[in-house]
């Protein structure tokens, strides 16, 4: 199976913007919903719009049109009943996330989670900064992902950017055998575990982090969901790439 196809028209539009030297107006005109949520932010700014339009968004455009050079062959997908691993550089992962942000991927199959920000970024009614918890959740997801893009743009402008871009992100799928040889459920005891009533999972460096997952990788991270899995994916946006790589579990 191959990565869902890109809409060539959108890529052509982004290339045309690139030739216009990334003026903020030209870039904003090609982003879904014209970034309406920027116009509705509260008095306390969550986003540095000068930084975003002047530095981050132009970098995102460059990264988007670099996709053919970063991916010279189809990506392997993590399909059902398979044990497989996909390894990407941080730059490749960021490139895929930029395209998800720009909604240039089509939904190839119901077997995979959707991989576009359309529901967050351009819903029928744009998210409000002062509306109910659902709207605020969607806005905060956007703010968090935009912060990720700010960081990626800054890291690529800093000394040592080449080494940073070669760091790897690994996505793996395992097939667990929960039955005995005769097909009956296994009665083998679990290993000992320790349970703590305080502290945060992020405080335990080097620990394996496990969440009770949705059958689709990422669950509702690019929608209205905001529980354990969605929070983990938003905190580490590179996890969102698993949405396009991983076929439905089970």
């Amino acid at each position: 199976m191959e990565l869902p196809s890109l809409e060539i028209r959108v890529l052509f539009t982004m290339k045309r913007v690139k030739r216009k030297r990334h003026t903020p107006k030209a870039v904003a005109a090609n982003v879904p919903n014209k970034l309406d949520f920027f116009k509705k932010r509260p008095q306390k700014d969550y986003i540095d719009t000068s930084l975003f339009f002047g530095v981050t968004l132009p970098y995102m455009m460059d990264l988007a049109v670099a996709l053919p050079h970063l991916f010279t062959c189809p990506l392997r997908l993590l399909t059902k009943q398979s044990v497989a691993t996909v390894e990407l550089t941080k730059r490749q992962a960021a490139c895929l996330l930029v395209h998800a942000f720009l909604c240039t991927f089509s939904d190839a199959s119901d077997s995979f989670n959707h991989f576009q920000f359309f529901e967050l970024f351009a819903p029928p009614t744009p998210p409000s900064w002062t509306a109910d918890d659902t709207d605020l959740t969607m806005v905060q997801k956007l703010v968090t992902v935009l912060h990720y893009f700010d960081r990626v743009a800054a890291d690529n402008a800093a000394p040592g950017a080449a080494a940073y871009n070669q760091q790897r992100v690994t996505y793996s799928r395992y097939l667990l055998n929960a039955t005995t040889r005769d097909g009956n459920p296994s009665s083998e005891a679990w290993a000992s575990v320790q349970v703590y009533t305080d502290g945060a999972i992020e405080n335990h460096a080097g620990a394996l982090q496990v969440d009770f997952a949705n059958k689709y990788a990422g669950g509702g991270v690019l929608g209205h969901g905001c529980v354990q899995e969605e929070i983990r994916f938003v905190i580490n946006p590179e996890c969102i790439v698993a949405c396009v790589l991983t076929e439905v579990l089970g």
Side-chain angles (χ1 to χ4, degrees), residues 123 125-140 224:
T125 302
S128 167
W129 290 95
T130 57
D132 59 26
D133 290 343
T134 300
D135 278 350
L136 290 176
T137 294
M138 296 170 72
V139 169
Q140 290 300 331
H224 295 281

Side-chain angles (χ1 to χ4, degrees), residues 57 79 117:
L57 193 54
T79 55
F117 280 60

Side-chain angles (χ1 to χ4, degrees), residues 40-61:
K40 297 186 177 183
R41 65 189 191 279
Q43 291 182 352
K44 180 181 178 182
D45 285 346
Y46 286 85
I47 301 167
D48 184 338
T49 52
S50 297
L51 173 66
F52 181 74
F53 283 105
V55 178
T56 305
L57 193 54
Y59 172 77
M60 291 168 65
M61 297 297 101

Side-chain angles (χ1 to χ4, degrees), residues 62-134:
D62 283 336
L63 192 54
V65 297
L67 184 142
H69 305 290
L70 293 174
F71 297 92
T72 56
C73 59
L75 277 174
R76 179 178 183 177
L77 300 183
L78 306 177
T79 55
K80 287 183 178 181
Q81 301 300 309
S82 67
V83 177
T85 294
V86 174
E87 189 175 75
L88 303 177
T89 65
K90 281 184 172 288
R91 184 170 172 82
Q92 287 176 315
C95 177
L96 293 178
L97 284 170
V98 168
H99 279 281
F101 184 82
L102 296 174
C103 305
T104 57
F105 285 108
S106 59
D107 289 331
S109 169
D110 290 339
S111 295
F112 291 81
N113 205 345
H114 68 282
F115 189 60
Q116 53 172 293
F117 280 60
F118 187 81
E119 189 174 340
L120 288 181
F121 199 62
T125 302
S128 167
W129 290 95
T130 57
D132 59 26
D133 290 343
T134 300

Side-chain angles (χ1 to χ4, degrees), residues 195-218:
V195 178
Y196 299 91
T197 58
D198 57 359
I201 192 170
E202 291 82 9
N203 295 338
H204 299 276
L208 182 66
Q209 299 186 16
V210 179
D211 79 274
F212 295 92
N214 189 289
K215 67 178 181 179
Y216 289 100

